[in-house]
Amino acid sequence: MSTIPATPSAATVPPATGDPAPPRARRSRRFTVGANSPWFPYLLVFPLALILFGYVVQPMFATFAESVGVDGLANYTTFLTGDGVARSALVTSLVISAASVLLCGIVGVAMAFLLKRFSFPGRRLIEAIILVPAALPPLIGAISFQLLYSGTGILPRGLQHLFGTENPVLPFSGIAGVLVVHTFTMYPFFYLATSAALVGMDPSVEEAAYNLGAGRVRVWRTVLLPMLTPALVSASLLVFMTSLASYTAPLLFGVDQTMTMQIYINRTNGDLPMASTYASVLGVVSVLFLLGMRWYEGRRSYRSQSKGIAAHRREITNPFGRWLALLASVLATVVLLAPVGTIALVAFSQDGSWTTEVIPSAYTMRNFVTILTDPEAYRPIVNSLQMSVIATVGCVVVGVLIAYAVRRLDFRGRGLLDVAVMLAWALPGTVVAINLISAFSTGNAFSLGQVLIGTFWIMPLAYFVRFLPLVFRSSSATLAQLDPSLEEAARNLGASWWRAFGTVTLRLMLPGVLAGALLAFVHGVGEFVASVLIYTSETAPISVEINNRMYSFEVGTAAAYGMLQIVLIFVVMVVSGRLESGPKASREAARWTA
């Protein structure tokens, strides 16, 4: 009797060579192999690198090509040996930037030590409003100081009437006016960085130095300053590069001999090659300073090895000191709120009614009615919102993916990707504008063969290039705090890379991503420096409209636009603060995901 051989189980039968797998299994295996392949990071990074090259790096090369043109290095020879305007502009910009760093450092570090190390009457009030200058868009901040402290400003005219002098008393103009604006609007960089460092600093190190007989000066020099070096370097970078890129303060206070002003003047006069020369030099200076400061910071370690407790604030017990602190608190409150109060006051004044009076003499609500109902006046608001939304969406998509690639993927060239984003952050707004003008005055592959200059799309592209680093840094910082094992667990349970990234990592990153997106959006709404070089009459944003209204002596309407920007920024600051609630938000997101 013949027997039928038992059929072995599928688990014990080796697959025949060349036998095709079922379609479902074949698709699953191909996708899994792709996600785990060493080439997968490159497939993900390639389009991101192409975007950075096409809209950040390649426009820089286009600007340099425009600067050399058909005359070779003749423009650079003129820059170095010409009538002295170019050299004077470079020296003036560097001096203003260095002085801004020094003044902002003094004010910001002093305020940080005062508020974090001492307790006195009025401290909580100052802490509540000390970041008000950060809420002012650059143009509005400069205009508020012009309305307050210039020769035609409220304070000099008020002192003139008070003392009966022939001319305004203590008006600010020229470089002094620029430095006052820079100090007031940029000291928060030093304050925030120093405050964070002081909160995290171990006070036992300082106390040990005192116990060993060191004096206050030596403790400052050998203990406090070295421990504060990373914070001071970071703040110095921000202030120096923001000052170097400053355009609005020199414009309003009549300082023509700066690099940004010369870029604008040459561009307005139709001399794009010389404007490109200025832009190239300014871009090189910015990048060199950035790299130099990063090198200086990385020379040594500034990490404390001891683990003490946080420092407590010292109570000011001297009666005279307490009264002096209270008086200083009131004065600081007035100084900090005066620019916003000035814009609010002028926003309700009738256009053309404020001439030689100390403050406007006629007030109306018509300015706000006009900008919200008149189609021509309302168009800049719509333009700014549309362009900022488009740019922010691009910043979120590209910034989040680049942050993930830099933080989580292992591939050659990761450092170059980080540098390319940093490069976008280092370039001043005027340089970004000139780069885009040089690159997209004719059609190329990155503009799909279309000329972008003079169109709507060049504006959100400029905003995207300028504010991509905001979303990237915020997303990167959030991602650095997340445990990668959460995503790995999802992958091990069978989720594809895209599903694991979207349902786990991205949701945990959401607070930081939204905070960066809000910052990018609000910076786009207030952007002026790049916009003024590339806008058209149909694409003018709010900031350009404010500038145009000021030159048309419609000061009230200009201030009304400014109040809209300030209110929007305050709302975004509040929302961003809630989103950046840190570990609590991450825990809630993790629990919701689970």
Side-chain angles (χ1 to χ4, degrees):
M1 183 177 64
S2 63
T3 60
I4 301 174
T7 303
S9 65
T12 62
V13 177
T17 304
D19 185 40
R24 182 182 301 274
R26 186 167 60 247
R27 285 196 300 267
S28 174
R29 183 168 60 205
R30 184 168 60 245
F31 185 82
T32 303
V33 170
N36 294 325
S37 169
W39 294 105
F40 175 74
Y42 297 96
L43 295 177
L44 179 66
V45 167
F46 178 74
L48 303 176
L50 199 63
I51 290 172
L52 290 177
F53 176 79
Y55 302 113
V56 178
V57 179
Q58 181 260 343
M60 292 181 61
F61 293 150
T63 297
F64 178 74
E66 182 70 36
S67 67
V68 295
V70 296
D71 299 324
L73 299 178
N75 288 325
Y76 291 94
T77 302
T78 302
F79 185 94
L80 296 173
T81 63
D83 56 7
V85 173
R87 296 193 305 276
S88 175
L90 179 59
V91 171
T92 302
S93 294
L94 292 175
V95 169
I96 289 176
S97 298
S100 298
V101 170
L102 179 62
L103 293 173
C104 291
I106 293 173
V107 174
V109 173
M111 293 297 289
F113 267 92
L114 185 65
L115 295 178
K116 299 302 178 183
R117 290 294 183 91
F118 298 95
S119 180
F120 54 89
R123 176 183 60 83
R124 293 185 181 276
L125 177 62
I126 297 179
E127 283 187 322
I129 64 174
I130 195 169
L131 296 181
V132 165
L136 295 175
L139 180 62
I140 292 300
I143 288 176
S144 67
F145 269 78
Q146 185 187 38
L147 297 176
L148 266 173
Y149 303 119
S150 69
T152 58
I154 293 175
L155 184 61
R157 283 183 174 181
L159 294 176
Q160 178 186 5
H161 281 265
L162 179 63
F163 296 114
T165 59
E166 183 178 352
N167 297 313
V169 178
L170 298 177
F172 285 102
S173 62
I175 293 179
V178 173
L179 290 177
V180 168
V181 174
H182 285 184
T183 302
F184 181 84
T185 57
M186 299 178 195
Y187 81 82
F189 292 134
F190 273 96
Y191 170 77
L192 289 172
T194 305
S195 296
L198 288 175
V199 170
M201 186 180 296
D202 187 352
S204 64
V205 178
E206 185 179 349
E207 293 169 2
Y210 283 124
N211 293 335
L212 291 173
R216 290 187 179 276
V217 175
R218 188 172 183 182
V219 170
W220 260 89
R221 181 174 57 85
T222 60
V223 178
L224 292 179
L225 286 181
M227 293 297 293
L228 290 175
T229 294
L232 297 180
V233 168
S234 175
S236 297
L237 269 173
L238 289 170
V239 172
F240 184 90
M241 298 179 70
T242 305
S243 301
L244 199 64
S246 177
Y247 170 77
T248 53
L251 173 68
L252 295 178
F253 284 90
V255 183
D256 294 336
Q257 300 295 324
T258 64
M259 294 292 286
T260 52
M261 285 297 295
Q262 288 301 310
I263 290 174
Y264 175 76
I265 291 172
N266 281 277
R267 162 62 177 157
T268 304
N269 292 336
D271 192 354
L272 183 58
M274 198 63 199
S276 300
T277 303
Y278 277 96
S280 298
V281 173
L282 185 58
V284 168
V285 171
S286 299
V287 172
L288 287 179
F289 182 80
L290 176 65
L291 296 177
M293 293 299 284
R294 286 171 65 92
W295 168 83
Y296 177 79
E297 181 184 6
R299 290 193 310 162
R300 63 179 72 177
S301 173
Y302 303 95
R303 187 173 300 170
S304 174
Q305 298 299 321
S306 61
K307 300 183 182 298
I309 60 174
H312 296 287
R313 291 187 178 91
R314 303 173 188 174
E315 184 75 28
I316 298 179
T317 57
N318 184 283
F320 176 76
R322 291 180 65 84
W323 279 105
L324 185 62
L326 180 60
L327 180 63
S329 299
V330 173
L331 180 62
T333 301
V334 172
V335 171
L336 288 172
L337 294 181
V340 177
T342 300
I343 295 296
L345 175 71
V346 177
F348 291 98
S349 67
Q350 289 185 6
D351 288 335
S353 64
W354 190 18
T355 54
T356 59
E357 299 86 1
V358 176
I359 60 174
S361 57
Y363 298 91
T364 180
M365 286 289 297
R366 185 172 181 80
N367 297 330
F368 289 97
V369 174
T370 298
I371 65 175
L372 294 176
T373 59
D374 180 36
E376 289 298 318
Y378 187 67
R379 184 191 301 167
I381 300 176
V382 175
N383 287 342
S384 286
L385 294 177
Q386 287 180 340
M387 293 183 294
S388 297
V389 167
I390 293 172
T392 300
V393 171
C395 289
V396 168
V397 174
V398 178
V400 169
L401 290 177
I402 293 178
Y404 182 89
V406 171
R407 284 286 181 181
R408 292 290 173 86
L409 300 182
D410 185 17
F411 59 94
R412 292 182 181 273
R414 183 170 56 180
L416 289 177
L417 197 66
D418 193 10
V419 168
V421 180
M422 181 181 69
L423 192 64
W425 172 73
L427 296 177
T430 49
V431 176
V432 170
I434 293 298
N435 289 350
L436 295 180
I437 292 171
S438 300
F440 299 110
S441 293
T442 58
N444 58 44
F446 296 102
S447 63
L448 303 179
Q450 303 297 312
V451 176
L452 297 184
I453 298 301
T455 69
F456 170 87
W457 295 103
I458 194 65
M459 301 285 284
L461 179 59
Y463 297 172
F464 166 78
V465 173
R466 291 210 66 194
F467 306 126
L468 172 63
L470 293 176
V471 179
F472 167 75
R473 293 299 178 189
S474 179
S475 302
S476 180
T478 304
L479 193 60
Q481 299 175 354
L482 301 181
D483 188 350
S485 63
L486 296 174
E487 181 182 336
E488 293 171 1
R491 294 286 305 281
N492 291 335
L493 291 173
S496 65
W497 179 87
W498 284 106
R499 185 175 183 183
F501 173 76
T503 59
V504 178
T505 304
L506 187 58
R507 284 181 177 174
L508 293 175
M509 292 173 62
L510 200 58
V513 173
L514 289 179
L518 286 174
L519 288 176
F521 172 76
V522 81
H523 276 75
V525 172
E527 210 287 328
F528 174 68
V529 179
S531 301
V532 75
L533 290 172
I534 56 178
Y535 82 97
T536 66
S537 59
E538 296 296 322
T539 62
I542 295 177
S543 56
V544 171
E545 187 68 13
I546 291 173
N547 186 62
N548 294 341
R549 297 274 182 167
M550 288 291 294
Y551 277 96
S552 300
F553 300 102
E554 299 177 56
V555 182
T557 304
Y561 280 115
M563 278 306 299
L564 285 182
Q565 288 185 317
I566 291 174
V567 169
L568 176 63
I569 291 175
F570 270 114
V571 171
V572 169
M573 287 179 65
V574 172
V575 175
S576 296
R578 292 183 179 277
L579 289 174
E580 292 181 327
S581 52
K584 181 179 179 181
S586 296
R587 288 196 301 269
E588 291 297 324
R591 185 172 64 185
W592 186 87
T593 302

